[in-house]
Amino acid sequence: MASEVNKGAPAAETTARHIEDLILEGSLRPGDPLLPEREMALRLNVSRPTLRQGIRMLEEKGLIVADPGGGRRVAQLATSITDPLIELMASRGEVVDDYLELRGTLEGMAASLAATRANDVDRATLSRCMERIDLAHDEADPRHEAEADVDLHIAVYEASHNIVLLQIMRALSGMLRKGVFHNREKLYARPEVRDVLRAQHRAIHDAIIARDPEAAARAAQDHMSYTKRVRAEIIAAETRLEISLRRIEGGSLTARN
């Protein structure tokens, strides 16, 4: 946020547009708290009244919201799971398969672009995410490993330097993080699955670092295919267990001892 706002257009509109650009490119993320008004005005090299007017424009658009604790923050954009259609889709198993199928295509595209476009900053971010996955895996911490998993995928989207892809995938990742379409912690509860997932994330990471777009796309698609298959296996095993328990209990409709 160090660059000055363009003074050629009305100052408040230009200020609002600059902040919009930061949100669009992913520099300002959903939920990020904004700096205090005085510091923001200094960073943007505008007056505080100009900043206030620009912020009001963004609030009217729903991009900036008041923080209950004081101040303002970026709105929770493209991450809502309250839409009735999203809830309806998440309740249907066949739609979850479609979701994973879509992610397989987009993940492959993102990884390929990242291998071509990632800069040193992007590659360092990816490596930090991979280190977190390794650490959580070695400590047998499924919850932290699952969180690092999502962060690695977001880092891949950011490294793709495709703004539309980034925002679409960030929205999908928000749903993934909240377990809207499937419970990822169930995957990480199985040690043998965790080992495979780490190896697959390592393959995606290494291909991007090596600037190999074909290997990166293939690794990302293999990862999503595996996730889809293992999810189906877990659901099938849970269904069989439920049937076995019902048989023992007579479907809860008999007077068995």
Side-chain angles (χ1 to χ4, degrees):
M1 238 184 176
S3 59
E4 293 186 5
V5 172
N6 175 17
K7 299 298 179 64
E13 292 181 11
T14 306
T15 299
R17 178 59 183 264
H18 179 67
I19 296 172
E20 283 180 352
D21 288 345
L22 294 178
I23 293 172
L24 185 61
E25 72 183 20
S27 294
L28 282 175
R29 304 179 182 187
D32 275 353
L34 298 180
L35 291 170
E37 184 181 281
R38 184 170 181 273
E39 190 172 349
M40 275 190 71
L42 288 173
R43 292 280 183 96
L44 294 171
N45 195 25
V46 296
S47 68
R48 292 176 72 174
T50 294
L51 175 64
R52 289 190 202 107
Q53 188 177 351
I55 292 294
R56 277 198 297 272
M57 294 177 182
L58 297 175
E59 288 176 331
E60 290 172 358
K61 293 182 177 181
L63 296 172
I64 300 296
V65 296
D67 194 326
R72 296 180 178 88
R73 65 176 57 243
V74 180
Q76 291 293 341
L77 305 168
T79 59
S80 174
I81 61 172
T82 59
D83 189 301
L85 180 58
I86 296 297
E87 293 183 358
L88 176 60
M89 288 195 298
S91 70
R92 305 298 173 90
E94 65 275 17
V95 177
V96 177
D97 286 341
D98 288 347
Y99 162 76
L100 293 174
E101 185 175 70
L102 172 65
R103 277 198 60 208
T105 299
L106 295 183
E107 293 272 355
M109 178 183 177
S112 176
L113 290 174
T116 302
R117 299 176 177 177
N119 53 44
D120 290 343
V121 174
D122 298 325
R123 285 188 284 271
T125 300
L126 285 164
S127 293
R128 283 194 298 272
C129 290
M130 194 65 232
E131 289 169 3
R132 287 175 51 210
I133 289 175
D134 286 336
L135 179 61
H137 186 88
D138 293 343
E139 293 179 347
D141 189 333
R143 185 174 64 83
H144 285 165
E145 191 170 2
E147 283 297 310
D149 169 341
V150 176
D151 290 340
L152 175 71
H153 284 283
I154 291 175
V156 172
Y157 313 146
E158 291 175 346
S160 76
H161 290 277
N162 181 306
I163 289 176
V164 175
L165 179 62
L166 168 62
Q167 297 298 349
I168 290 173
M169 297 307 289
R170 182 172 280 169
L172 291 178
S173 291
M175 296 174 189
L176 182 64
R177 199 186 294 274
K178 294 178 175 66
V180 176
F181 284 102
H182 71 103
N183 187 342
R184 293 164 53 258
E185 291 190 11
K186 287 185 178 180
L187 299 180
Y188 281 98
R190 300 175 63 175
E192 73 281 7
V193 172
R194 289 176 57 233
D195 289 341
V196 175
L197 291 177
R198 176 166 71 162
Q200 291 177 339
H201 288 131
R202 171 63 65 183
I204 296 169
H205 167 272
D206 290 354
I208 293 173
I209 297 299
R211 299 180 173 88
D212 187 336
E214 290 184 5
R218 186 167 55 251
Q221 289 163 354
D222 287 348
H223 168 57
M224 292 311 304
S225 294
Y226 175 78
T227 300
K228 184 178 179 180
R229 177 169 62 81
V230 171
R231 173 188 170 274
E233 291 174 357
I234 291 174
I235 291 174
E238 289 177 343
T239 300
R240 289 192 294 270
L241 177 59
E242 290 172 0
I243 292 172
S244 296
L245 292 174
R246 284 199 299 271
R247 286 171 179 160
I248 291 172
E249 298 169 355
S252 299
L253 298 178
T254 68
R256 292 179 187 171
N257 293 328

